[in-house]
Amino acid sequence: LTSSYQGKAVGLVGVSAGTLGAARVMDHVRPILNTLNMHVVKNGVHISRVGEALAADGGFADPKTAEFTRLMVEEISKLSTALLTIKK
């Protein structure tokens, strides 16, 4: 099972009803993913007060959260592409 995860790029998103956006959970999950030989991108997304974070249309109410998410996905994409060149 772990072999299917090895070498993959991954981003962390923490969601909580409180103010920290699951920051502590993300701190604990990161070393586990590293142990599985996954490549965790530097910047994660913390979504605090999830009840207020989502707009009626399903997007993010705060444009900064949308931007952080876009940047993280871009970083995952770039890292994934780089990792493909290493595997060849």
Side-chain angles (χ1 to χ4, degrees), residues 12-82:
L12 297 177
V13 178
V15 180
S16 72
T19 58
L20 295 178
R24 289 185 187 147
V25 171
M26 290 170 66
D27 287 343
H28 290 285
V29 169
R30 184 179 299 274
I32 294 168
L33 296 175
N34 288 332
T35 299
L36 293 171
N37 293 320
M38 298 182 79
H39 302 280
V40 183
V41 296
K42 181 180 176 184
N43 296 313
V45 177
H46 301 270
I47 302 173
S48 304
R49 296 184 178 98
V50 70
E52 302 167 16
L54 300 177
D57 66 359
F60 294 113
D62 184 354
K64 289 180 184 177
T65 303
E67 180 63 10
F68 291 142
T69 302
R70 186 192 68 74
L71 290 171
M72 183 187 68
V73 171
E74 186 176 288
E75 189 177 357
I76 293 168
S77 178
K78 287 178 182 177
L79 179 56
S80 295
T81 301

